[in-house]
């Protein structure tokens, strides 16, 4: 914490000097804004982090530089999440996803990481169907890239099963005669819903929280 506070102090001074020398909208200060934002986040000032990253992003986009955009968006998503603004978190993550799919591919592990974050964000908004769609896509990427026996694949599969079961419990179909095939989110194989794997609600909360 002490080092981060010093970093904020030094970067703030550097920013003031750069703004006088280059101007407040110059491309050169976008990097200082980015690092100052991250340091501010380290000391828990997420509002400042959000504002600085937003400004950095605006400068980068003004100068038509695409390369840093994905990185800035990923950090901005953390700032929005930390301030409880999940709708804006979803907006920036959706943009980051498109960039990752374009630059790295739809089956790249980094793309999968963004999908997991999107699933969690939708969970915070209570949309369990979209949560499960994103979790399932991330699971399939991990399965393809790392294999079915990889610890991360297994962990994500367990979380997906828990998520599906929670969705089932909250769904109106839980009280009807409809089968799992009729209430499962699209892309999801109903056979993955295994209530016996999640008999304890405390475990359910613990497992999902590991990804938050």
């Amino acid at each position: 914490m002490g080092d981060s506070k010093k970093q904020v102090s030094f970067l703030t001074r550097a920013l003031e000097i750069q703004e006088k020398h280059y101007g407040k909208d110059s491309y050169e200060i976008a990097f200082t804004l980015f690092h100052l934002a991250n340091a501010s986040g380290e000391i828990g000032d997420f509002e400042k982090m959000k504002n600085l990253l937003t400004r950095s992003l605006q400068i980068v986009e003004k100068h038509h530089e695409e390369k840093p955009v994905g990185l800035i968006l990923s950090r901005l998503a953390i700032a929005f999440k930390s301030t409880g603004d999940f709708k804006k978190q979803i907006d920036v993550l959706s943009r980051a996803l498109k960039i990752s799919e374009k630059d790295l591919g739809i089956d790249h592990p980094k793309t999968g990481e963004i999908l997991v974050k999107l699933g969690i964000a939708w969970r915070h908004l209570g949309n369990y169907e979209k949560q499960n769609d994103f979790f399932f896509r991330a699971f399939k990427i991990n399965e393809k890239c790392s294999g079915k026996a990889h610890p991360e694949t297994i962990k994500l599969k367990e979380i997906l099963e828990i998520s599906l079961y929670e969705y089932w419990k909250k769904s109106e179909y839980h009280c009807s005669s409809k089968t799992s095939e009729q209430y499962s989110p699209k892309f999801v194989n109903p056979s993955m819903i295994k209530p016996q794997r999640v008999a304890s609600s405390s475990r359910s909360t613990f497992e999902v929280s590991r990804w938050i």
Side-chain angles (χ1 to χ4, degrees), residues 70-88:
L71 180 60
I72 297 173
L73 288 172
S74 67
R75 300 303 298 176
L76 192 53
I78 294 173
F80 282 129
K81 172 189 171 183
S82 300
T83 56
D85 196 339
F86 299 111
K87 288 184 178 180
K88 288 187 178 178

Side-chain angles (χ1 to χ4, degrees), residues 198-211:
V198 286
S200 168
S201 59
S202 60
R203 175 178 172 206
S204 170
T205 303
F206 169 75
E207 290 288 353
V208 174
S209 69
R210 291 164 63 183
W211 287 82

Side-chain angles (χ1 to χ4, degrees), residues 15 18-19 22-34 51-69 72 76 95:
L15 179 63
Q18 288 179 328
E19 285 178 334
Y22 296 113
K24 291 188 176 183
D25 291 329
S26 67
Y27 184 68
E28 286 76 9
I29 69 169
F31 300 99
T32 304
L33 288 166
F34 177 79
N51 294 334
L52 290 168
L53 287 171
T54 299
R55 187 179 163 198
S56 178
L57 180 63
Q58 290 171 343
I59 292 172
V60 167
E61 290 178 327
K62 179 181 178 180
H63 290 269
H64 307 290
E65 293 289 340
E66 296 182 1
K67 191 173 181 180
V69 171
I72 297 173
L76 192 53
R95 288 188 59 190

Side-chain angles (χ1 to χ4, degrees), residues 84-88 90 120-128:
D85 196 339
F86 299 111
K87 288 184 178 180
K88 288 187 178 178
I90 288 170
I120 294 168
W122 279 112
R123 175 187 177 82
H124 282 297
L125 292 180
N127 193 322
Y128 298 96

Side-chain angles (χ1 to χ4, degrees), residues 10-200:
F10 291 142
L11 286 169
T12 300
R13 290 172 58 191
L15 179 63
E16 291 172 354
I17 294 169
Q18 288 179 328
E19 285 178 334
K20 289 180 180 179
H21 184 74
Y22 296 113
K24 291 188 176 183
D25 291 329
S26 67
Y27 184 68
E28 286 76 9
I29 69 169
F31 300 99
T32 304
L33 288 166
F34 177 79
H35 292 298
L36 178 56
N38 288 331
S40 298
E42 289 293 326
I43 62 173
D45 193 345
F46 296 108
E47 281 293 335
K48 185 176 181 179
M49 178 185 183
K50 179 176 64 178
N51 294 334
L52 290 168
L53 287 171
T54 299
R55 187 179 163 198
S56 178
L57 180 63
Q58 290 171 343
I59 292 172
V60 167
E61 290 178 327
K62 179 181 178 180
H63 290 269
H64 307 290
E65 293 289 340
E66 296 182 1
K67 191 173 181 180
V69 171
L71 180 60
I72 297 173
L73 288 172
S74 67
R75 300 303 298 176
L76 192 53
I78 294 173
F80 282 129
K81 172 189 171 183
S82 300
T83 56
D85 196 339
F86 299 111
K87 288 184 178 180
K88 288 187 178 178
Q89 183 194 11
I90 288 170
D91 288 342
V92 297
L93 284 174
S94 297
R95 288 188 59 190
L97 178 63
K98 289 181 180 179
I99 293 171
S100 183
E101 288 177 333
K102 178 183 176 183
D103 294 346
L104 301 175
I106 59 174
D107 293 329
H108 194 278
K110 291 293 183 182
T111 302
E113 290 176 10
I114 298 173
L115 289 168
V116 170
K117 292 174 183 177
L118 272 165
I120 294 168
W122 279 112
R123 175 187 177 82
H124 282 297
L125 292 180
N127 193 322
Y128 298 96
E129 184 170 0
K130 286 192 175 182
Q131 168 196 266
N132 293 334
D133 285 346
F134 284 115
F135 279 1
F136 186 74
R137 288 176 60 190
F139 163 71
K140 296 304 290 184
I141 291 172
N142 227 79
E143 186 180 51
K144 179 178 180 179
C145 295
S146 303
K148 293 182 179 181
H150 192 277
E152 288 299 312
T153 305
I154 294 171
K155 181 170 69 174
L156 188 49
K157 183 180 180 181
E158 289 178 350
I159 292 171
L160 177 59
E161 290 172 350
I162 291 167
S163 177
L164 286 168
Y165 181 57
E166 290 180 336
Y167 174 74
W168 174 66
K169 288 195 300 180
K170 294 176 184 297
S171 171
E172 60 179 299
Y173 302 119
H174 178 53
C175 301
S176 75
S177 59
K178 295 187 178 182
T179 63
S180 60
E181 286 85 355
Q182 292 170 294
Y183 63 68
S184 293
K186 59 183 179 178
F187 309 128
V188 174
N189 182 346
S191 66
M192 294 187 70
I193 303 177
K194 300 177 181 178
Q196 66 273 18
R197 295 285 298 276
V198 286
S200 168

